[in-house]
Amino acid sequence: MAKRNDPLNPDPTFLDFWRERHLCTLTTLRPDGTPHVVPVGVTYDPEAGLARVIANKASAKVSHVLAGSGAQEGGARVAVCQVDGRRWATLEGLAVVRTEPDRVAEAVRRYAERYERVPAPNPDRVAIEITLTRATGNGTPS
């Protein structure tokens, strides 16, 4: 059964699940309103109320976020999700694309910490920052 969490103050089991190393998905909306779902690495920062995804600025996910940000104040509606057997967790919110070097570096640092590898240098890297509005899931062990 899905359980709702406060994305800024999640229960410990939910947060522990987001600290484990898992491949995730990012769902954005194409201009025609259909969902675009891609595998990504996600980091969750409840203290800042953010989830972060690093990406290439020429990627479809970045163009969808940019298009959605222009259409809606505060950012594009997105969701990130991770699954491990019967455990799953989804974070929803408003995404914006960050190009500021300090924001991108923070996203890369967090990615390296969670996924235990530093991504190759990429001069076209950006960070997608998601201001969290909802957290749901079932993070209890199977």
Side-chain angles (χ1 to χ4, degrees), residues 28-121:
T28 59
L29 297 177
R30 295 181 183 99
D32 67 2
T34 59
H36 177 254
V37 183
V38 294
V40 294
V42 176
T43 62
Y44 177 28
D45 180 0
E47 293 82 19
L50 296 173
R52 295 175 179 90
V53 175
I54 57 175
N56 189 297
K57 69 181 179 183
S59 67
K61 61 185 156 280
V62 168
S63 68
H64 297 155
V65 170
L66 290 170
S69 297
Q72 178 173 304
E73 187 173 326
R77 289 220 162 270
V78 302
V80 291
C81 183
Q82 67 179 22
V83 177
D84 179 39
R86 299 175 84 186
R87 297 184 304 157
W88 62 274
T90 300
L91 298 169
E92 299 176 37
L94 297 171
V96 295
V97 176
R98 298 290 187 190
T99 59
E100 304 92 333
D102 61 325
R103 296 290 189 109
V104 175
E106 179 64 6
V108 168
R109 182 189 72 75
R110 288 175 178 274
Y111 176 95
E113 182 178 285
R114 182 175 190 203
Y115 292 97
E116 300 173 344
R117 73 173 198 83
V118 176

Coordinates of all heavy atoms in Angstrom, one line a residue, residues 28-121:
T28 N 9.1 13.2 -17.5 CA 8.8 14.6 -18.0 C 7.7 14.5 -19.0 O 7.3 13.4 -19.4 CB 10.0 15.3 -18.6 OG1 10.4 14.5 -19.8 CG2 11.2 15.4 -17.6
L29 N 7.1 15.7 -19.3 CA 6.1 15.7 -20.3 C 6.6 16.3 -21.6 O 7.2 17.4 -21.6 CB 4.9 16.5 -19.8 CG 4.2 15.9 -18.5 CD1 3.1 16.8 -18.1 CD2 3.7 14.5 -18.8
R30 N 6.3 15.6 -22.7 CA 6.6 16.2 -24.0 C 5.7 17.3 -24.3 O 4.6 17.5 -23.7 CB 6.4 15.1 -25.1 CG 7.4 13.9 -24.9 CD 7.1 12.9 -26.1 NE 8.0 11.8 -25.9 CZ 7.6 10.6 -25.4 NH1 6.4 10.4 -25.0 NH2 8.5 9.6 -25.3
P31 N 6.0 18.1 -25.3 CA 5.1 19.3 -25.7 C 3.6 18.8 -26.0 O 2.7 19.6 -25.8 CB 5.8 19.9 -26.9 CG 7.2 19.6 -26.7 CD 7.2 18.2 -26.1
D32 N 3.5 17.6 -26.5 CA 2.1 17.1 -26.8 C 1.4 16.5 -25.5 O 0.3 16.0 -25.6 CB 2.1 16.1 -27.9 CG 2.8 14.8 -27.6 OD1 3.2 14.6 -26.4 OD2 2.8 13.9 -28.4
G33 N 2.1 16.6 -24.4 CA 1.5 16.1 -23.1 C 1.7 14.7 -22.8 O 1.3 14.2 -21.7
T34 N 2.4 13.9 -23.7 CA 2.6 12.5 -23.4 C 3.8 12.4 -22.5 O 4.8 13.2 -22.6 CB 2.8 11.7 -24.7 OG1 3.9 12.2 -25.4 CG2 1.5 11.7 -25.5
P35 N 3.9 11.3 -21.7 CA 5.0 11.2 -20.7 C 6.3 10.7 -21.5 O 6.2 9.9 -22.4 CB 4.5 10.2 -19.7 CG 3.4 9.4 -20.4 CD 2.8 10.4 -21.4
H36 N 7.4 11.2 -21.0 CA 8.7 10.7 -21.5 C 9.4 10.2 -20.2 O 9.7 10.9 -19.3 CB 9.5 11.9 -22.1 CG 10.8 11.6 -22.6 ND1 11.9 12.0 -21.9 CD2 11.3 10.9 -23.6 CE1 13.1 11.7 -22.5 NE2 12.7 11.0 -23.6
V37 N 9.7 8.9 -20.2 CA 10.3 8.3 -19.0 C 11.7 7.8 -19.4 O 11.9 7.0 -20.4 CB 9.5 7.1 -18.5 CG1 10.1 6.5 -17.3 CG2 8.0 7.5 -18.3
V38 N 12.7 8.2 -18.7 CA 14.1 7.8 -18.9 C 14.8 7.4 -17.7 O 14.5 7.9 -16.6 CB 14.9 8.9 -19.6 CG1 14.4 9.2 -21.0 CG2 14.9 10.2 -18.8
P39 N 15.8 6.4 -17.8 CA 16.6 6.1 -16.6 C 17.6 7.2 -16.2 O 18.2 7.8 -17.1 CB 17.3 4.8 -17.0 CG 17.4 4.9 -18.5 CD 16.2 5.7 -19.0
V40 N 17.7 7.4 -14.9 CA 18.6 8.5 -14.5 C 19.1 8.1 -13.1 O 18.6 7.2 -12.4 CB 17.9 9.9 -14.4 CG1 17.5 10.4 -15.7 CG2 16.7 9.8 -13.5
G41 N 20.1 8.8 -12.6 CA 20.5 8.8 -11.2 C 19.9 10.0 -10.6 O 19.9 11.1 -11.1
V42 N 19.4 9.8 -9.4 CA 18.7 10.9 -8.7 C 19.3 11.0 -7.3 O 19.5 9.9 -6.6 CB 17.2 10.6 -8.5 CG1 16.5 11.6 -7.7 CG2 16.5 10.5 -9.9
T43 N 19.4 12.2 -6.8 CA 19.8 12.4 -5.4 C 18.6 13.1 -4.7 O 18.0 14.0 -5.3 CB 21.1 13.1 -5.2 OG1 21.0 14.4 -5.8 CG2 22.2 12.3 -5.9
Y44 N 18.4 12.8 -3.4 CA 17.3 13.4 -2.7 C 17.9 14.1 -1.5 O 18.7 13.6 -0.7 CB 16.4 12.2 -2.2 CG 15.3 12.5 -1.3 CD1 14.6 13.8 -1.3 CD2 14.8 11.6 -0.5 CE1 13.6 14.0 -0.5 CE2 13.7 11.8 0.4 CZ 13.1 13.0 0.3 OH 12.0 13.3 1.2
D45 N 17.5 15.4 -1.4 CA 18.0 16.3 -0.3 C 16.8 16.9 0.4 O 16.3 18.0 0.1 CB 18.9 17.4 -1.0 CG 19.4 18.4 0.0 OD1 19.2 18.3 1.2 OD2 20.1 19.3 -0.5
P46 N 16.2 16.1 1.4 CA 15.0 16.6 2.0 C 15.3 17.9 2.8 O 14.3 18.8 2.9 CB 14.6 15.5 3.0 CG 15.8 14.7 3.1 CD 16.7 14.8 1.9
E47 N 16.5 18.2 3.3 CA 16.7 19.4 4.0 C 16.5 20.6 3.1 O 16.0 21.7 3.5 CB 18.2 19.4 4.6 CG 18.4 18.4 5.7 CD 18.7 17.0 5.2 OE1 19.1 16.9 4.0 OE2 18.5 16.1 5.9
A48 N 16.9 20.5 1.8 CA 16.7 21.6 0.9 C 15.4 21.5 0.1 O 15.0 22.4 -0.6 CB 17.9 21.6 -0.1
G49 N 14.7 20.4 0.3 CA 13.5 20.1 -0.4 C 13.7 19.9 -1.9 O 12.8 20.2 -2.7
L50 N 14.8 19.3 -2.3 CA 15.2 19.1 -3.7 C 15.5 17.7 -4.0 O 16.1 16.9 -3.2 CB 16.4 19.9 -4.0 CG 16.3 21.5 -4.0 CD1 17.7 22.1 -4.2 CD2 15.3 22.0 -5.0
A51 N 15.3 17.3 -5.2 CA 15.9 16.1 -5.8 C 16.7 16.7 -7.0 O 16.3 17.7 -7.6 CB 14.8 15.1 -6.3
R52 N 17.8 16.0 -7.3 CA 18.7 16.5 -8.4 C 19.0 15.4 -9.4 O 19.2 14.2 -9.0 CB 20.0 17.0 -7.8 CG 19.8 18.3 -6.9 CD 21.2 18.6 -6.3 NE 21.1 19.8 -5.5 CZ 20.8 19.8 -4.2 NH1 20.6 18.7 -3.5 NH2 20.8 20.9 -3.5
V53 N 19.1 15.8 -10.6 CA 19.4 14.9 -11.7 C 20.5 15.6 -12.6 O 20.3 16.8 -12.9 CB 18.2 14.5 -12.6 CG1 18.6 13.7 -13.8 CG2 17.1 13.8 -11.8
I54 N 21.6 14.9 -12.9 CA 22.6 15.6 -13.8 C 22.2 15.1 -15.2 O 21.8 14.0 -15.4 CB 24.0 15.3 -13.4 CG1 24.3 13.8 -13.3 CG2 24.4 16.0 -12.1 CD1 25.8 13.5 -13.1
A55 N 22.5 16.0 -16.2 CA 22.1 15.7 -17.6 C 22.9 16.5 -18.5 O 23.5 17.5 -18.2 CB 20.6 16.0 -17.8
N56 N 22.9 16.0 -19.8 CA 23.5 16.8 -20.9 C 22.5 17.9 -21.3 O 21.3 17.6 -21.5 CB 23.8 15.9 -22.0 CG 24.6 16.6 -23.1 OD1 24.2 17.6 -23.7 ND2 25.9 16.1 -23.3
K57 N 22.9 19.1 -21.5 CA 22.0 20.2 -21.9 C 21.2 19.9 -23.2 O 20.2 20.5 -23.4 CB 22.7 21.5 -21.9 CG 23.7 21.7 -23.0 CD 24.4 23.1 -23.0 CE 25.4 23.2 -24.1 NZ 26.1 24.5 -23.9
A58 N 21.7 19.0 -24.1 CA 21.1 18.8 -25.3 C 20.1 17.6 -25.2 O 19.5 17.2 -26.2 CB 22.1 18.5 -26.4
S59 N 19.9 17.0 -24.1 CA 19.0 15.9 -23.9 C 17.5 16.2 -24.0 O 17.1 17.4 -23.8 CB 19.3 15.1 -22.6 OG 18.9 16.0 -21.5
A60 N 16.7 15.2 -24.4 CA 15.3 15.4 -24.4 C 14.7 15.8 -23.1 O 13.8 16.7 -23.0 CB 14.6 14.2 -25.0
K61 N 15.2 15.2 -22.0 CA 14.6 15.5 -20.7 C 14.9 17.0 -20.3 O 14.0 17.6 -19.8 CB 15.2 14.6 -19.6 CG 16.7 14.6 -19.4 CD 17.1 13.5 -18.4 CE 18.5 13.1 -18.6 NZ 18.7 12.2 -19.6
V62 N 16.0 17.5 -20.7 CA 16.3 18.9 -20.4 C 15.4 19.8 -21.3 O 14.8 20.8 -20.8 CB 17.8 19.2 -20.6 CG1 18.0 20.8 -20.7 CG2 18.6 18.6 -19.6
S63 N 15.2 19.5 -22.5 CA 14.3 20.3 -23.4 C 12.9 20.3 -22.9 O 12.2 21.3 -22.9 CB 14.4 19.9 -24.9 OG 13.9 18.6 -25.1
H64 N 12.4 19.1 -22.4 CA 11.1 19.0 -21.8 C 10.9 19.9 -20.6 O 9.9 20.5 -20.4 CB 10.7 17.6 -21.5 CG 10.7 16.7 -22.7 ND1 10.9 15.3 -22.6 CD2 10.5 16.9 -24.0 CE1 10.8 14.8 -23.8 NE2 10.6 15.7 -24.7
V65 N 11.9 19.8 -19.7 CA 11.9 20.7 -18.5 C 11.9 22.1 -18.9 O 11.1 22.9 -18.3 CB 13.0 20.3 -17.5 CG1 13.1 21.4 -16.4 CG2 12.9 18.9 -17.0
L66 N 12.7 22.5 -19.8 CA 12.8 23.9 -20.2 C 11.4 24.4 -20.8 O 10.9 25.4 -20.5 CB 13.9 24.2 -21.2 CG 15.3 24.1 -20.7 CD1 16.3 24.1 -21.8 CD2 15.6 25.2 -19.7
A67 N 10.8 23.5 -21.7 CA 9.5 23.9 -22.3 C 8.5 23.9 -21.2 O 7.6 24.9 -21.2 CB 9.2 22.8 -23.3
G68 N 8.5 23.0 -20.3 CA 7.5 23.0 -19.2 C 7.6 24.1 -18.2 O 6.7 24.7 -17.7
S69 N 8.9 24.5 -18.0 CA 9.2 25.7 -17.1 C 8.6 27.0 -17.7 O 8.1 27.8 -16.9 CB 10.7 25.8 -16.8 OG 11.2 24.7 -16.2
G70 N 8.7 27.1 -19.0 CA 8.2 28.3 -19.6 C 6.6 28.3 -19.6 O 6.0 29.4 -19.6
A71 N 6.0 27.2 -19.6 CA 4.6 27.1 -19.7 C 3.9 27.2 -18.3 O 2.7 27.5 -18.2 CB 4.2 25.7 -20.3
Q72 N 4.7 26.9 -17.2 CA 4.1 26.9 -15.9 C 5.0 27.6 -14.9 O 6.2 27.3 -14.9 CB 3.9 25.5 -15.5 CG 3.4 25.3 -14.1 CD 3.0 23.9 -13.8 OE1 2.3 23.3 -14.5 NE2 3.6 23.4 -12.7
E73 N 4.5 28.5 -14.2 CA 5.3 29.3 -13.2 C 5.9 28.3 -12.1 O 5.2 27.4 -11.7 CB 4.5 30.3 -12.5 CG 5.3 31.2 -11.6 CD 4.5 32.4 -11.1 OE1 3.6 32.9 -11.8 OE2 4.8 32.8 -9.9
G74 N 7.2 28.4 -11.8 CA 7.8 27.6 -10.8 C 8.5 26.4 -11.3 O 9.3 25.7 -10.6
G75 N 8.2 26.0 -12.6 CA 8.9 24.9 -13.2 C 8.0 23.9 -13.8 O 6.8 24.0 -13.8
A76 N 8.6 22.9 -14.4 CA 7.8 21.8 -15.1 C 7.5 20.7 -14.1 O 8.3 20.3 -13.3 CB 8.7 21.3 -16.3
R77 N 6.3 20.2 -14.2 CA 5.9 19.1 -13.4 C 6.6 17.8 -13.8 O 6.6 17.5 -15.0 CB 4.4 18.9 -13.5 CG 3.6 19.9 -12.8 CD 2.4 19.4 -12.0 NE 2.0 20.4 -11.1 CZ 2.4 20.4 -9.8 NH1 3.3 19.6 -9.3 NH2 1.9 21.4 -9.0
V78 N 7.3 17.2 -12.9 CA 8.0 15.9 -13.1 C 7.8 15.0 -11.9 O 7.4 15.4 -10.9 CB 9.5 16.2 -13.4 CG1 9.7 17.2 -14.5 CG2 10.2 16.7 -12.1
A79 N 8.3 13.7 -12.2 CA 8.3 12.8 -11.1 C 9.6 11.9 -11.3 O 10.0 11.7 -12.4 CB 7.1 11.8 -11.1
V80 N 10.2 11.5 -10.2 CA 11.3 10.6 -10.2 C 10.9 9.4 -9.3 O 10.2 9.6 -8.3 CB 12.7 11.2 -9.7 CG1 13.2 12.2 -10.7 CG2 12.5 11.8 -8.3
C81 N 11.3 8.2 -9.7 CA 10.9 7.0 -9.1 C 12.0 6.0 -9.0 O 12.9 6.0 -9.9 CB 9.7 6.4 -9.8 SG 9.0 5.0 -9.0
Q82 N 12.0 5.2 -8.0 CA 12.9 4.1 -7.9 C 12.2 2.9 -7.4 O 11.2 3.0 -6.6 CB 14.2 4.4 -7.0 CG 13.9 4.6 -5.6 CD 15.2 4.9 -4.8 OE1 16.2 5.3 -5.4 NE2 15.1 4.6 -3.5
V83 N 12.6 1.7 -7.8 CA 11.9 0.4 -7.5 C 13.0 -0.6 -7.1 O 14.0 -0.7 -7.7 CB 11.1 -0.1 -8.7 CG1 10.5 -1.4 -8.3 CG2 10.1 0.9 -9.1
D84 N 12.7 -1.4 -6.1 CA 13.5 -2.5 -5.7 C 12.6 -3.6 -5.2 O 12.1 -3.6 -4.0 CB 14.5 -2.1 -4.6 CG 15.4 -3.3 -4.2 OD1 15.8 -4.1 -5.1 OD2 15.7 -3.4 -3.0
G85 N 12.2 -4.6 -6.1 CA 11.2 -5.6 -5.7 C 9.9 -4.9 -5.4 O 9.4 -4.2 -6.2
R86 N 9.4 -5.2 -4.2 CA 8.1 -4.6 -3.8 C 8.3 -3.2 -3.2 O 7.3 -2.5 -2.9 CB 7.4 -5.5 -2.8 CG 7.2 -6.9 -3.4 CD 6.6 -7.8 -2.4 NE 5.2 -7.6 -2.3 CZ 4.4 -8.2 -1.4 NH1 4.9 -9.1 -0.6 NH2 3.1 -8.0 -1.4
R87 N 9.5 -2.8 -3.0 CA 9.7 -1.4 -2.4 C 9.8 -0.4 -3.6 O 10.4 -0.7 -4.6 CB 11.0 -1.3 -1.7 CG 11.1 -2.2 -0.5 CD 12.4 -2.0 0.3 NE 13.5 -2.2 -0.5 CZ 14.7 -1.7 -0.3 NH1 14.9 -0.9 0.8 NH2 15.8 -2.0 -1.0
W88 N 9.1 0.7 -3.4 CA 9.2 1.8 -4.4 C 9.0 3.1 -3.7 O 8.5 3.2 -2.6 CB 8.1 1.6 -5.5 CG 6.7 1.6 -5.0 CD1 6.0 0.6 -4.5 CD2 5.9 2.8 -4.9 NE1 4.8 1.0 -4.1 CE2 4.7 2.4 -4.4 CE3 6.0 4.1 -5.3 CZ2 3.6 3.2 -4.1 CZ3 5.0 5.0 -5.1 CH2 3.8 4.5 -4.5
A89 N 9.5 4.1 -4.4 CA 9.4 5.5 -3.9 C 9.3 6.5 -5.0 O 10.1 6.4 -6.0 CB 10.5 5.8 -3.0
T90 N 8.4 7.4 -4.9 CA 8.3 8.5 -6.0 C 8.4 9.8 -5.3 O 7.8 10.1 -4.2 CB 6.9 8.3 -6.7 OG1 6.9 7.1 -7.3 CG2 6.8 9.4 -7.8
L91 N 9.1 10.7 -5.9 CA 9.2 12.1 -5.5 C 8.6 13.0 -6.7 O 9.0 12.7 -7.9 CB 10.6 12.6 -5.3 CG 11.3 11.8 -4.1 CD1 12.8 12.1 -4.1 CD2 10.7 12.2 -2.8
E92 N 7.7 13.9 -6.4 CA 7.1 14.7 -7.4 C 7.5 16.2 -7.1 O 7.7 16.5 -6.0 CB 5.6 14.6 -7.5 CG 5.1 13.2 -7.8 CD 3.6 13.1 -7.7 OE1 2.9 14.1 -8.1 OE2 3.2 12.0 -7.3
G93 N 7.5 17.0 -8.2 CA 7.7 18.4 -7.9 C 7.8 19.2 -9.2 O 7.5 18.8 -10.3
L94 N 8.4 20.4 -9.0 CA 8.5 21.4 -10.1 C 10.0 21.5 -10.4 O 10.8 21.8 -9.6 CB 8.0 22.7 -9.8 CG 6.5 22.8 -9.5 CD1 6.1 24.1 -8.9 CD2 5.7 22.5 -10.8
A95 N 10.4 21.2 -11.7 CA 11.8 21.1 -12.1 C 12.2 22.3 -12.9 O 11.4 22.9 -13.7 CB 12.0 19.9 -13.0
V96 N 13.4 22.7 -12.7 CA 14.1 23.8 -13.5 C 15.5 23.3 -13.8 O 16.0 22.4 -13.2 CB 14.2 25.1 -12.7 CG1 12.8 25.7 -12.4 CG2 14.9 24.9 -11.4
V97 N 16.0 23.8 -14.9 CA 17.4 23.5 -15.3 C 18.3 24.5 -14.8 O 18.1 25.7 -15.0 CB 17.4 23.4 -16.9 CG1 18.9 23.2 -17.3 CG2 16.5 22.3 -17.4
R98 N 19.4 24.0 -14.1 CA 20.4 24.9 -13.5 C 21.7 24.8 -14.4 O 22.1 23.7 -14.6 CB 20.7 24.5 -12.1 CG 19.5 24.7 -11.2 CD 19.2 26.1 -11.0 NE 18.2 26.3 -10.0 CZ 17.6 27.4 -9.7 NH1 17.9 28.5 -10.4 NH2 16.7 27.5 -8.8
T99 N 22.3 25.9 -14.7 CA 23.5 25.9 -15.4 C 24.7 26.5 -14.6 O 25.8 26.4 -15.0 CB 23.4 26.7 -16.8 OG1 23.0 28.0 -16.5 CG2 22.4 26.0 -17.7
E100 N 24.3 27.1 -13.5 CA 25.3 27.7 -12.6 C 26.4 26.7 -12.2 O 26.0 25.6 -11.7 CB 24.7 28.4 -11.4 CG 23.6 29.4 -11.7 CD 22.2 28.8 -11.7 OE1 22.1 27.6 -12.0 OE2 21.3 29.6 -11.5
P101 N 27.6 27.0 -12.4 CA 28.7 26.0 -12.0 C 28.6 25.4 -10.6 O 28.8 24.2 -10.4 CB 30.0 26.8 -12.2 CG 29.6 27.8 -13.3 CD 28.2 28.2 -12.9
D102 N 28.2 26.3 -9.6 CA 28.1 25.8 -8.3 C 27.0 24.8 -8.1 O 27.1 23.8 -7.4 CB 28.1 26.9 -7.2 CG 26.9 27.8 -7.4 OD1 26.4 28.1 -8.6 OD2 26.4 28.3 -6.4
R103 N 25.9 25.1 -8.8 CA 24.7 24.2 -8.7 C 25.0 22.8 -9.4 O 24.6 21.8 -8.9 CB 23.5 24.8 -9.3 CG 23.0 26.1 -8.7 CD 22.4 25.7 -7.3 NE 21.7 26.8 -6.7 CZ 20.4 27.0 -6.6 NH1 19.6 26.1 -7.0 NH2 19.9 28.1 -6.1
V104 N 25.6 22.9 -10.5 CA 26.0 21.7 -11.3 C 27.0 20.9 -10.4 O 26.9 19.7 -10.3 CB 26.5 22.0 -12.7 CG1 27.0 20.8 -13.4 CG2 25.4 22.7 -13.5
A105 N 28.0 21.5 -9.9 CA 29.0 20.9 -9.1 C 28.4 20.2 -7.8 O 28.7 19.1 -7.5 CB 30.1 21.8 -8.6
E106 N 27.4 20.8 -7.2 CA 26.7 20.2 -6.1 C 25.9 19.0 -6.5 O 25.9 17.9 -5.8 CB 25.8 21.2 -5.4 CG 25.0 20.7 -4.2 CD 25.9 20.2 -3.0 OE1 27.1 20.5 -3.0 OE2 25.3 19.6 -2.1
A107 N 25.3 19.0 -7.6 CA 24.6 17.9 -8.2 C 25.5 16.7 -8.5 O 25.2 15.6 -8.2 CB 23.7 18.3 -9.4
V108 N 26.6 17.0 -9.1 CA 27.7 16.0 -9.4 C 28.2 15.4 -8.1 O 28.4 14.2 -8.0 CB 28.8 16.6 -10.3 CG1 30.0 15.7 -10.4 CG2 28.2 16.9 -11.6
R109 N 28.5 16.3 -7.1 CA 29.0 15.8 -5.8 C 28.1 14.8 -5.2 O 28.4 13.7 -4.7 CB 29.3 16.9 -4.9 CG 29.9 16.5 -3.5 CD 29.9 17.6 -2.5 NE 28.6 18.0 -2.0 CZ 27.9 17.3 -1.1 NH1 28.4 16.1 -0.6 NH2 26.8 17.7 -0.7
R110 N 26.8 15.1 -5.2 CA 25.8 14.3 -4.5 C 25.6 13.0 -5.3 O 25.5 11.9 -4.8 CB 24.5 15.0 -4.4 CG 24.5 16.1 -3.3 CD 23.2 16.9 -3.2 NE 23.3 17.8 -2.2 CZ 23.0 17.6 -0.9 NH1 22.6 16.4 -0.6 NH2 23.1 18.5 0.0
Y111 N 25.7 13.1 -6.7 CA 25.6 11.9 -7.5 C 26.8 11.0 -7.2 O 26.6 9.8 -7.0 CB 25.6 12.3 -9.0 CG 25.6 11.1 -9.9 CD1 24.5 10.7 -10.5 CD2 26.8 10.5 -10.3 CE1 24.5 9.6 -11.4 CE2 26.9 9.4 -11.1 CZ 25.7 8.9 -11.7 OH 25.7 7.9 -12.5
A112 N 28.0 11.5 -7.1 CA 29.2 10.7 -6.8 C 29.1 10.0 -5.5 O 29.5 8.9 -5.3 CB 30.4 11.6 -6.9
E113 N 28.5 10.7 -4.5 CA 28.3 10.1 -3.2 C 27.3 9.0 -3.2 O 27.6 7.9 -2.7 CB 27.8 11.3 -2.2 CG 27.7 10.8 -0.8 CD 27.2 12.0 0.1 OE1 28.1 12.9 0.4 OE2 26.0 12.0 0.4
R114 N 26.2 9.2 -3.8 CA 25.1 8.1 -3.8 C 25.5 6.9 -4.7 O 25.3 5.8 -4.3 CB 23.8 8.7 -4.3 CG 22.7 7.6 -4.3 CD 21.4 8.0 -4.6 NE 20.4 7.0 -4.3 CZ 19.2 6.8 -4.8 NH1 18.8 7.7 -5.7 NH2 18.5 5.8 -4.5
Y115 N 26.1 7.2 -5.9 CA 26.3 6.2 -6.8 C 27.8 5.7 -6.8 O 28.2 4.8 -7.6 CB 25.9 6.6 -8.2 CG 24.4 6.7 -8.3 CD1 23.8 8.0 -8.2 CD2 23.6 5.6 -8.5 CE1 22.4 8.1 -8.2 CE2 22.2 5.7 -8.5 CZ 21.6 6.9 -8.4 OH 20.3 7.1 -8.4
E116 N 28.6 6.2 -5.9 CA 30.0 5.7 -5.7 C 30.8 5.8 -6.9 O 31.7 4.9 -7.1 CB 29.9 4.3 -5.0 CG 29.2 4.4 -3.7 CD 29.0 3.0 -3.1 OE1 29.2 2.0 -3.8 OE2 28.7 2.9 -1.9
R117 N 30.6 6.8 -7.8 CA 31.5 7.0 -8.9 C 31.3 8.4 -9.4 O 30.2 9.0 -9.3 CB 31.2 6.0 -10.1 CG 29.9 6.3 -10.8 CD 29.8 5.3 -12.0 NE 28.8 5.8 -13.0 CZ 29.0 6.8 -13.9 NH1 30.2 7.4 -14.0 NH2 28.1 7.1 -14.7
V118 N 32.4 9.0 -9.8 CA 32.4 10.4 -10.3 C 32.1 10.3 -11.8 O 32.9 9.6 -12.5 CB 33.7 11.1 -10.0 CG1 33.8 12.5 -10.6 CG2 34.0 11.1 -8.5
P119 N 31.1 11.0 -12.2 CA 30.9 11.0 -13.7 C 32.0 11.7 -14.5 O 32.7 12.6 -14.0 CB 29.5 11.7 -13.9 CG 29.3 12.5 -12.6 CD 30.2 11.8 -11.5
A120 N 32.2 11.2 -15.7 CA 33.2 11.8 -16.6 C 32.9 13.3 -16.7 O 31.8 13.7 -16.8 CB 33.2 11.1 -17.9
P121 N 34.0 14.1 -16.9 CA 33.8 15.5 -17.1 C 32.9 15.7 -18.4 O 33.0 15.0 -19.3 CB 35.2 16.1 -17.3 CG 36.1 15.1 -16.6 CD 35.4 13.8 -16.8

